[in-house]
Amino acid sequence: MDNDNMGSAVAELPVVARRAFLGRAGRFATVGAIVAIAACSEGDESPLANTPTPTPSGTPTPTPAASPSILPVSDVDLLTLMVQLQYLQAEFYARAVLGAPLASSLVTGAGAAGDVVGPRAVTIADPILADYLREIAVEKIDQLVRLRAVLGSAVPARPALNLSMEAGGSFARYATEATPVTVPATAPVLTDVYAGQDQLLLGAFVLEDAVVSAWRGIATLMTSAANIDVAAGMLATCAFHAGLIRSQLFLRGGATGSVLRTATVRLSDLRDSFTPTVDDDRGVSSGSGSSLAADINPSDGEGEIYGRLPNLTINTFYMTRSVATSGGFFPAGLNGVLRESVFT
């Protein structure tokens, strides 16, 4: 998209959102991702195709084509995406920490419904960590209830979710595609997310940071003050959760022989590789040896957390660098307008 077209797209945002967008777009995503925000419903004509054909006039000078129109997505579209990420997190914690799936009344809605593959109950030996994770699990469900209430009749059904360590599963791909740790011996960064508390923390790390950046990324695209308030509350809660998970990984990674800190860097590098045009992902530590330092808050150097615009968020959860309508954690795709990743 050239600068003129980008300017017309941004101009359609409300004043507050437009100002915030212009100030932060460089930290959120590539310009190309903004085009994809205008995705239409399946079967609808893309607004990017609305360039009129010049009408012959008999004059030798051709009539220039008008700039394509860009239609920003609605708050409902954005929240439809986010509630599906909430299904993913809530099922992960409910099944792994609380030992039970979500109630059937919490997963109904419009669009294609699907099953959940992978999660199983985890034995958490540390009672304090168990208490932390139970609180997070309950709050993930609270967040889901709230988002479903906000969307009302527009709420999407829970799509098919893959949280599996089996071959081809989303977590299995993280285990096989992330660069192995080499000290004290070469080993995959993940062995089985559901085998114990440390591995569970790594699985939570994979999800939490990506959801936080997703909430930050949609903030400047929303128009309703009430919906912005909901998004702010959700972002804050998710950031607390992510910070706790990252803190626990850094703390436990300090034990002799632990590879948890290095593992988060490897997992972060893989997660970041799905949006390679921007570097917006980090593990829980930086440096090594005497220069090792905690990196609990992955901020941008100005004290602000990273954000990803919707389609780059979809890349992250589909685990792809290409245009796709399904993959990774969502093997049958997402419901709603925002369901396609972009080529990166």
Side-chain angles (χ1 to χ4, degrees):
M1 183 188 298
D2 60 30
N3 290 337
D4 288 340
N5 289 343
M6 180 180 176
S8 67
V10 175
E12 295 189 42
L13 296 172
V15 173
V16 174
R18 183 165 66 249
R19 186 179 300 124
F21 180 89
L22 291 171
R24 297 185 174 90
R27 295 199 294 271
F28 283 164
T30 60
V31 171
I34 298 169
V35 174
I37 292 173
C40 289
S41 303
E42 192 171 72
D44 291 348
E45 183 183 28
S46 168
L48 297 179
N50 292 339
T51 303
T53 302
T55 302
S57 61
T59 171
T61 303
T63 303
S67 298
S69 60
I70 305 296
L71 303 178
V73 292
S74 70
D75 286 10
V76 169
D77 297 329
L78 296 166
L79 290 175
T80 294
L81 169 63
M82 296 311 299
V83 77
Q84 292 174 93
L85 301 187
Q86 200 64 40
Y87 284 135
L88 184 72
Q89 288 192 104
E91 289 285 17
F92 173 73
Y93 283 103
R95 294 172 186 242
V97 177
L98 303 180
L102 293 177
S104 58
S105 60
L106 292 180
V107 300
T108 57
D115 295 327
V116 181
V117 176
R120 63 182 190 273
V122 177
T123 299
I124 303 169
D126 182 340
I128 295 177
L129 177 61
D131 199 29
Y132 289 159
L133 293 176
R134 280 193 295 268
E135 179 185 353
I136 291 176
V138 170
E139 288 171 355
K140 294 300 184 189
I141 297 171
D142 289 344
Q143 288 181 297
L144 177 60
V145 171
R146 175 62 173 143
L147 287 173
R148 285 176 58 85
V150 170
L151 283 165
S153 61
V155 70
R158 180 197 63 199
L161 305 177
N162 186 308
L163 289 155
S164 176
M165 287 299 305
E166 299 296 325
S170 55
F171 281 132
R173 284 188 57 192
Y174 268 93
T176 57
E177 295 178 26
T179 303
V181 295
T182 56
V183 177
T186 300
V189 294
L190 284 178
T191 53
D192 182 351
V193 167
Y194 308 108
Q197 61 191 28
D198 286 354
Q199 287 284 303
L200 182 65
L201 285 170
L202 290 174
F205 167 81
V206 168
L207 300 179
E208 290 287 358
D209 282 16
V211 171
V212 170
S213 65
W215 276 116
R216 175 71 199 279
I218 73 165
T220 55
L221 302 175
M222 304 191 82
T223 58
S224 160
N227 290 335
I228 291 170
D229 183 64
V230 170
M234 295 291 167
L235 171 58
T237 299
C238 289
F240 271 109
H241 294 166
L244 177 57
I245 296 298
R246 293 176 69 94
S247 297
Q248 284 294 308
L249 284 164
F250 183 81
L251 175 65
R252 293 168 188 276
T256 302
S258 175
V259 296
L260 286 175
R261 293 173 179 172
T262 303
T264 66
V265 175
R266 300 285 196 269
L267 293 170
S268 169
D269 287 345
L270 177 59
R271 188 170 55 197
D272 195 33
S273 75
F274 301 124
T275 57
T277 51
V278 285
D279 184 5
D280 55 5
D281 214 312
R282 297 207 301 269
V284 304
S285 64
S286 60
S288 60
S290 60
S291 63
L292 181 76
D295 194 359
I296 304 305
N297 176 32
S299 64
D300 61 4
E302 296 180 354
E304 299 183 17
I305 59 171
Y306 292 116
R308 290 189 180 100
L309 288 173
N311 295 92
L312 293 184
T313 288
I314 296 172
N315 275 65
T316 302
F317 284 96
Y318 282 179
M319 300 177 65
T320 185
R321 302 164 190 86
S322 303
V323 176
T325 54
S326 64
F329 293 97
F330 294 93
L334 292 155
N335 290 312
V337 168
L338 291 168
R339 59 176 176 275
E340 187 172 282
S341 59
V342 293
F343 177 76
T344 57

